[in-house]
Amino acid sequence: MDTGIYRKTGTLPERGSIVSFEIPEAARLYARQRGIEIAWGSFLKPVAAVAGDDVCVSLDEGLVINGERLAGVRHTDSAGHVVPAWSRCRQLVTGEFFVYASRVANSYDSRYYGPVRAEMIKGVYEPLWTW
């Protein structure tokens, strides 16, 4: 997300919402394996898919949501380490949200740790001022 000031809206998450959520355990594990200490407790990402949407992530095809290819999937990080990907194809179920940040090509999002569960979401946010 753009650097800036965001306001919690009090609305429920939906496709297109910007959500704050607990960092998934798979992301924490990846960080620990690389010697990275995560000092903050949440990510802020836009929701790209919701319950009922078909999501497919593969190293060959990249990210495909409802038949539309949206992005590639990195094989390695900037240091050359393998980045584990959430390689699956399935329909999201109630309470699952797939977050994807199209603004940054190498965004660390659901392509790598899978859908975010509703109970992990801390809130929906809107930008007040970004730079």
Side-chain angles (χ1 to χ4, degrees):
M1 299 305 308
D2 291 323
T3 302
I5 299 170
Y6 291 78
R7 177 181 76 87
K8 191 172 184 176
T9 66
T11 60
L12 294 175
E14 58 186 29
R15 188 181 301 103
S17 296
I18 298 170
V19 295
S20 171
F21 56 95
E22 297 170 21
I23 297 173
E25 186 53 37
R28 290 182 184 281
L29 176 62
Y30 173 71
R32 281 194 299 273
Q33 290 171 341
R34 300 292 166 254
I36 300 167
E37 182 63 35
I38 298 177
W40 61 93
S42 62
F43 284 158
L44 187 67
K45 306 274 182 190
V47 174
V50 297
D53 287 335
D54 292 313
V55 176
C56 191
V57 177
S58 72
L59 292 176
D60 295 332
E61 297 297 320
L63 170 62
V64 178
I65 297 178
N66 296 327
E68 180 182 353
R69 185 180 188 283
L70 298 179
V73 176
R74 294 181 287 160
H75 298 254
T76 59
D77 62 19
S78 60
H81 299 113
V82 172
V83 179
W86 182 81
S87 295
R88 309 209 166 106
C89 292
R90 70 174 178 83
Q91 189 174 77
L92 297 183
V93 298
T94 300
E96 288 185 321
F97 301 89
F98 196 92
V99 296
Y100 162 64
S102 62
R103 189 182 75 73
V104 179
N106 64 347
S107 172
Y108 190 64
D109 50 40
S110 285
R111 292 174 285 175
Y112 305 100
Y113 46 76
V116 173
R117 295 182 321 276
E119 60 269 17
M120 297 172 67
I121 294 178
K122 296 179 175 187
V124 174
Y125 287 78
E126 66 181 5
L128 293 177
W129 184 43
T130 61
W131 57 91

